[in-house]
Amino acid sequence: MAALVVSVPVGRAQDVSADTTRADSLAAGAPRADSLAAPRDTVIARSPPSIVPAPPAEGGLEQPVTYTARDSLRIVFGERDSPETDAPDDRAYLFGDVSARYAEAELTAGRLELLFGSRELRALTVESDTGQTQVPSFSEGSERFTGRELVYNLETQRGRVVGARTQIQDGFLLGGVIKQAAPDVIYAANAAYTTCELDHPHYALEAGRMKIVGDRYVYTGPVQLKLLGIPTPLWLPFGFFPATEGRRSGPLPIRYGEDRSAFGFFLDNLGWYWAINDHLDALVSTKVGTRGSFQVRSRFNYVRRYAYDGALDLSYTRLRSGEALDPDFSVENAYRVGWRHAQQFGPNTRLSADVDLASSARRFLTEDLDERVAQTSTSRITLAQNWARVGRSLQLNLSATQRLNEGEADLTLPSLSFSQQRRFPFRRARSGRPEAWYEKISVSYSGSLTNTYRFDPLADTTLAGTPFEGVSWIDGLFSESDWRGATGDSLVASRYRVQAQHQVPIGASYNVTRFLGTPIRFNLAPSIRYTESWTDRFQERTLNAEGQIVSGEVAGFTAIRRVSLGVSANTEFYGIFPVRVGPLDGFRHVVRPQLSFAFEPDYSAAPFNYYRSVADTNGVETTYPIASGLPSTPGRTQRLGLSLGNVFQTRVVRTDSTGEEESRTIQLATLNLRSAYDFAAEERPLGDVALDLTSQFNRFRVRLDASFSPYALDTLGRPSPRTYFAETGRLLRTTRLTLSAGTSFRGGGGSPSLTSPSTPDPPTGTDPALPNYGGVTNRPVDFRSPWSLALDFTYGYTPLFGQDAQERAVLSVSSFDFSLTPNWKIAGRTGYDLIENEVATTQLSILRDLHCWEMRFNWIPFGDFRSFSFSINVKSGYLRDLLRLDFPRSDVRTQVGNLF
C-alpha cells in the first residue's frame, strides 16, 4: 500500500493549528477526500480560539491536541517506520517554531512529528541555514526538559528524552536517555548530575544509571567525577545525595584527614542524620583515628512553634597520646554537654537554658580560634514566673562557671528569688485633689535563697602522687572527702554554702519647685533600706601552732541585720551655644548633677556585735567581720556622693531639593564624673574619682574610663593619709585608665562583605541540626563588595608600686577584606602591640570565585596556633562536604613547623 502525501505550504505570517479529533476520524476510515478540497494556500485546520472538539472516537483521546507551526504542515497517510513494520500509521509533520499542547503538557521544537495511530509526539532538533539550532523543549507544570529528541505519548502521558537537560532544584540532570516512569520518578541512562548551569559544566558526577525521586533525592549506580569532561580517579560504587537543601534523613558526608597528635590518620563524620518529623531531628557521628583516639557526638533538636525550641549536644572523646611504653604516654577523656532551651508556659511563665559544660581538653578539639583561647565556660538555667497585675515575680536559677585553665568551678544549685514591685500603701483613690506627701511613700520587697558550691583545686604539683590527683569539680560535687583533699579547705564548714537574704526598701520621690523661698526645681528622694542575711556558718580567726592567724568557718546559723538611711537630690539644666559649623546648627550642653547621702550605724557596737578581735603573738589585735558583706573595718558610714553628668548635643540641618530644611538632633558625647566623701572616716575621707567619656559620631566611636585617687602611697605601696597634692603638687593620682576607639569603612555597593574569619557563620544550605564538627568553616563569600575595613585602638594603663606601670596599646585591624578582581578577594584581621613591638594575632584568607567552585587559603602566621590550610570545594551547600579538597588534612592543632 503506497502512502498518500499531502503537503501544504503556509504563509510566513500564518500559523497552523489542528486538533486530533479530526486526525482520529481520518485514522478510523472516514473519507479523506475532504482533506483535499481546500484551496492550495490553506490547510484543513482551525485556529485554537475556534476549536470545537468533536466527540472522541472509541479509544480516542479525551481532549484535542492543538499545534501551531511557522513554516508548513505535511500529512502522510499509511506510512511505516520500516519495511518490517506491519501496521501503517498516519502522520503529520510540522516545521518551523512548532508548538503542541495537550492538557497541561507543551512541546516546542523546530520539527514535530505526530503519529496518530500510536498517539505520540516526536520533537527533533533542527539547525537552520543561519546556524541557529532549535532545541526541543517539553514542559508540564513545574517540570521542564530539553534534549536532542523528545517523545511524548498522549495516552500514557509519559515521555522519553535523548540528550536531555533538566533542572532539579539547584542541580541539573544531563542524560543520554531519560524516561519518566511515574509523575515523581525519573530514570536516566548514561547521565550526569551537576550544579553548574553552563552548557559544558565545570564538573559533573557521571553514572551509567540514575534514579531521581521527586525533586529531593538522586540515586546512582557506579559514579565518577569528571572535571571539564576529563575523568578523575574519584569513583564510588554507588551514589546517594539530595537534590535539594533542607532537612532530610541520610548518612553524613565522611571526612578524612591526618594530624600529628592524638588521632593520626582519621575518618570523621561517620554517622547518620534523622529528620524524624517537622518538630524533631537527631544526629549521631563519630571520629576514629589510627592512634587509638576516638570521639562520639550526638545532637537532638526539637521545636514547636509558639511553644518551645531547643537542642541537646553530647560528646565524648578519648585522647590517646603516644605509645603505652613511652614516658609521656597519656590517656585523657574530654566531654561536653550542651543544652539550649526556650519555652513559654502561658503569658507569664518562661523556661530558658543555655548550658555548656565541658572539660578543659575540649578546647583542643574545636577549630574555632576564639573558642580555643576562651578561659571560661558558663551555663545557666532559669525558670521565671511573673504576676504582672500585682507586680510580683518568682525566679529559679541554676548556674555554673568554669575556669578551664585552672580547673576551677563555681556553681549555684539553686538560687530562688522573689520580688514585689513597689506598692503605695497610703495612696487613696483619686478625687481630683493633689497627692499628699505620705501618699508618695512606696515599699517593695526582694528575697533570695542561694546554695553555692566552689571548687578551687590546689596546684597540680601539690596534688601529684596523692589520692586526690586528677579529682575534678564533678568528683568533689558528690564526695566531701575528694573536695577537701583537692582544694585543701580543711577549715571550711562545708562544700555547700546556703544563704538567704531579705531586702525591704522604703522610699518616696518629690518634685521640689521652691526651696527656702527661692524658685528652684529638683527631685528629692529620701529612702530607708532594711537588709537581713542568713547563712549556715560564721567566720572565726585563731592562732595556729606556729603563732599565725588563720581563718576558718564554724557551722551554725548566723543572722546579719543592716539598716541604711539615704537621701538624694538631682536636677538638670542646660546651655545653648548658637554657633553654626557647616551642617551643625548650634550646640547644647545638658548638665545633670546629683547629690546623695547614706548613713549606716556601727555594726561592731550593740545591738549588732558583728565583729570579733584576735591578737597575734605580739599582742596586736585584728578586728574582722564574722560574715561576708560587712565593711572590712568597723565604724559608722556617713557618705556623701556626688555625680555630675554631661551630655553634648547638636542639630544637623540639611536642605533638600525643594529648599526645605530638615533637622535631627544627635548626641556628640557624654561625660560622667563620680566621687564621694565619708564624714565618719578618720583617715582618707575622700573617695576615688571615676570618669567615663563616650562619643560616637558617624563612623567614629571612642570610650574612655579612668579612676583617680586623691591620696598618695606610703613606703609599702598602701594608700597614705597624705593627699597626693601635698606629696607631688598634682591633684590626683591615676589608678586605672582604659581607652578604646574604632571606626569602619566600606567602599562600593553590594551586600555586606565577608566578616572576620574569627567568627565564621555556618555554610548556607547546611541543615541547622548539623553542627560543624571539623574543618575550617567556610561561608559563601560575597565578591560584590569591593572592600571594607574596621579599625580599633585599645590602650590600658595601670600603675604598679615599685615597678613600671602595666601598659597595653594595640592598634588592630579587627576585620578587612577587599576584592582584587571580581573573582579574587583577600580578608582577615591583624594588629600590632605598640608596647611590646610585636604583631598581634593575625589571620589571613585568600578567596577565589571559580564559578561553581570556590577556593580558599587560610593562614595564621604567628602565635601558638599558627597554621595554614587550603581548600577547594563546590559552592553547592549539599555537595560542599563531598566535593572538596583540604590541605593539610588535619585540624588546627597542626602547626606550620610540624608539617615538614
Side-chain angles (χ1 to χ4, degrees), residues 9 232 332 488 596:
T232 68
E332 188 173 4
S596 62

Side-chain angles (χ1 to χ4, degrees), residues 686-844:
L686 291 173
D688 288 353
V689 178
L691 177 148
D692 66 80
L693 169 69
T694 59
S695 177
Q696 183 167 355
F697 185 72
N698 288 339
R699 300 178 183 271
F700 183 77
R701 64 186 184 281
V702 63
R703 179 175 179 87
L704 173 67
D705 291 278
S707 62
F708 309 91
S709 174
Y711 297 100
L713 298 177
D714 61 16
T715 56
L716 298 179
R718 298 173 302 187
S720 168
R722 289 178 56 85
T723 64
Y724 191 65
F725 180 79
E727 289 279 347
T728 64
R730 293 192 293 267
L731 186 61
L732 297 172
R733 176 175 56 87
T734 303
T735 58
R736 180 184 58 85
L737 186 145
T738 59
L739 172 67
S740 63
T743 186
S744 61
F745 305 94
R746 183 185 302 274
S751 301
S753 59
L754 183 72
T755 58
S756 170
S758 63
T759 55
D761 289 342
T764 299
T766 302
D767 194 286
L770 301 178
N772 179 34
Y773 286 121
V776 177
T777 306
N778 295 326
R779 63 175 294 180
V781 182
D782 182 7
F783 287 87
R784 295 172 294 175
S785 179
W787 64 272
S788 69
L789 177 66
L791 299 174
D792 289 289
F793 174 76
T794 58
Y795 175 78
Y797 173 82
T798 303
L800 301 176
F801 178 75
Q803 53 184 308
D804 294 337
Q806 181 180 357
E807 287 186 275
R808 176 174 174 81
V810 178
L811 177 63
S812 61
V813 181
S814 55
S815 69
F816 71 89
D817 68 80
F818 59 92
S819 298
L820 299 175
T821 69
N823 295 324
W824 282 95
K825 180 181 282 287
I826 295 179
R829 69 173 184 176
T830 186
Y832 188 78
D833 193 323
L834 302 176
I835 303 298
E836 301 294 334
N837 291 322
E838 62 182 16
V839 179
T841 301
T842 299
Q843 289 181 283
L844 297 174

Side-chain angles (χ1 to χ4, degrees), residues 224-307:
Q224 185 180 33
L225 173 65
K226 288 189 176 182
L227 300 177
L228 298 175
I230 303 173
T232 68
L234 181 58
W235 180 91
L236 296 173
F238 64 91
F240 165 71
F241 47 90
T244 181
E245 301 178 5
R247 299 174 66 253
R248 54 200 171 269
S249 298
L252 302 178
I254 299 175
R255 297 176 56 251
Y256 68 95
E258 184 178 5
D259 64 29
R260 302 295 180 92
S261 53
F263 282 93
F265 179 83
F266 63 81
L267 292 177
D268 193 10
N269 234 26
L270 295 163
W272 193 269
Y273 169 74
W274 290 273
I276 302 172
N277 54 40
D278 291 340
H279 308 290
L280 303 173
D281 63 16
L283 175 149
V284 176
S285 64
T286 61
K287 178 180 180 180
V288 294
T290 57
R291 297 186 179 179
S293 299
F294 68 89
Q295 185 181 54
V296 180
R297 305 175 297 261
S298 65
R299 181 166 189 173
F300 178 74
N301 291 278
Y302 52 91
V303 62
R304 183 173 291 277
R305 185 174 297 181
Y306 309 122

Side-chain angles (χ1 to χ4, degrees), residues 453-459 462-463 466-469 471-497 536-537 551-555:
Y453 165 85
R454 177 173 175 79
F455 185 81
D456 187 3
L458 300 173
T462 305
L463 296 176
T466 69
F468 307 107
E469 182 180 7
V471 171
S472 68
W473 64 268
I474 297 181
D475 300 323
L477 193 64
F478 299 100
S479 172
E480 180 85 19
S481 60
D482 285 347
W483 176 80
R484 291 189 181 275
T487 60
D489 290 330
S490 58
L491 299 178
V492 176
S494 171
R495 68 187 187 278
Y496 295 111
R497 181 184 298 270
D536 62 346
R537 67 198 68 192
S551 297
E553 293 179 345
V554 178

Side-chain angles (χ1 to χ4, degrees), residues 555-628:
F557 176 79
T558 303
I560 304 296
R561 301 173 180 87
R562 301 178 62 178
V563 178
S564 63
L565 307 177
V567 62
S568 66
N570 64 83
T571 186
E572 178 179 295
F573 57 90
Y574 60 89
I576 296 178
F577 304 90
V579 178
R580 181 158 186 169
V581 180
L584 305 181
D585 183 18
F587 297 89
R588 181 167 63 178
H589 178 200
V590 182
V591 183
R592 295 167 179 163
Q594 179 175 347
L595 285 173
S596 62
F597 180 78
F599 171 83
E600 284 193 66
D602 183 2
Y603 295 111
S604 65
F608 304 105
N609 300 318
Y610 297 148
Y611 288 80
R612 302 287 187 270
S613 297
V614 60
D616 59 15
T617 55
N618 297 322
V620 179
E621 286 193 350
T622 301
T623 303
Y624 63 92
I626 64 173
S628 60

Side-chain angles (χ1 to χ4, degrees), residues 394-465:
L394 180 66
Q395 194 171 91
L396 179 66
N397 290 300
L398 298 172
S399 64
T401 300
Q402 295 176 256
R403 284 170 288 280
L404 302 176
N405 280 351
E406 296 81 9
E408 300 176 6
D410 289 301
L411 279 70
T412 302
L413 303 169
S415 173
L416 180 66
S417 60
F418 173 81
S419 66
Q420 168 67 64
Q421 293 181 2
R422 62 177 184 169
R423 312 282 289 181
F424 296 87
F426 306 111
R427 178 171 290 178
R428 295 173 293 180
R430 292 293 180 92
S431 58
R433 56 173 180 76
E435 284 185 320
W437 65 269
Y438 55 85
E439 292 184 85
K440 296 184 178 181
I441 297 176
S442 65
V443 60
S444 60
Y445 170 81
S446 64
S448 64
L449 176 64
T450 305
N451 177 40
T452 59
Y453 165 85
R454 177 173 175 79
F455 185 81
D456 187 3
L458 300 173
D460 293 340
T461 55
T462 305
L463 296 176

